[in-house]
Amino acid sequence: MDSRCFISDFHSNSVFSPPVPKALNKPFLALPCCWSARAHRWLYFEDAQFSASPRTTKNRFLPNLECINIRASRESIKNSAEEKKKKKPGVAKKKLAVFVSGGGSNFKSIHEACVEGSVHGEIVALVTNKTDCGGAEYARNKDIPVLQFPRTKDGADGLSPTSLVDALRNFEVEFVLLAGFLKLIPVELIRAYPRAILNIHPSLLPAFGGKGYYGMKVHKAVISSGARYSGPTIHFVDEHYDTGRILAQMVVPVLSTDSPEDLAARVLKEEHKLYKEVVAALCEERIVWREDGVPLIQSRQDPNHFC
């Protein structure tokens, strides 16, 4: 708390309003109290309210200051400041579609972040090639529409690439997030959403990426190679497997005793953190593109700093 004290050497019986210092531009409270027969002191407390009750201590007459609701006030100010940092002023909440093929742990993590407000977005549709997977079940329980893609071999169920694009536009989807989706994204979708489709891969691309590298196969390959580090990569999607521009990575050590399951668990933990941070930046319009086509994440605290 910022306080400023001003002492005026006047008779103790004099009553007057203390001068307002030029440095103070905010409303303040002045509390007079008598330290001796010849001095007055005024205490200025910004953005707080106080009550004073006198008590006598030997030859000094001191005020007993009690802060009113200071804990609640501090908490309110803290929450307000944190809320302002979460998003740029005037930026509308972004509408997201997530693609999954399995349990959808990253999908669940991002959805929870949207609900609690740490991500300034809303998941309006889930796309899956397996309508009985864990991710699809979670979406239905949360009243999120589930779309099937691609169309089944007999053509009875699912959407064509063109129908998928139309459906996403009907939901007003702005960004597409792949979270364990094992099908190649159709060119129609990539062209409809340029620089707006993200994927997460469980290795440090370009190593251990491409067709056939997914799930536990990636972690087995990392351990077999003798690599000392792995970790998740988030990249923009192009027309090929895992070749789009890299946006963010997190380094995870590969231990000498690791099994593929051990490494997978350690990488997945970092995936959840990294994907939420990247989606938050995406929804706050903090993704910028360098002249050579490399995407960068703008710092929330310092717009001139990039991750």
Side-chain angles (χ1 to χ4, degrees), residues 222-275:
V222 169
I223 292 174
S224 297
S225 73
R228 297 322 196 248
Y229 297 96
S230 188
T233 297
I234 296 176
H235 63 94
F236 282 93
V237 174
D238 59 16
E239 298 178 12
H240 307 284
Y241 285 109
D242 304 327
T243 59
R245 295 286 190 167
I246 292 172
L247 178 60
Q249 293 181 312
M250 183 71 72
V251 175
V252 173
V254 180
L255 306 181
S256 61
T257 57
D258 271 345
S259 67
E261 291 76 15
D262 294 333
L263 181 58
R266 195 179 307 116
V267 171
L268 183 62
K269 184 177 180 181
E270 298 305 322
E271 283 184 28
H272 293 168
K273 295 178 183 177
L274 186 63
Y275 218 166

Side-chain angles (χ1 to χ4, degrees), residues 130-152:
K130 298 180 179 180
T131 56
D132 59 347
C133 70
E137 182 180 358
Y138 177 87
R140 285 190 288 266
N141 289 336
K142 299 298 182 180
D143 296 322
I144 299 172
V146 176
L147 307 177
Q148 184 175 350
F149 175 83
R151 183 172 290 170
T152 57

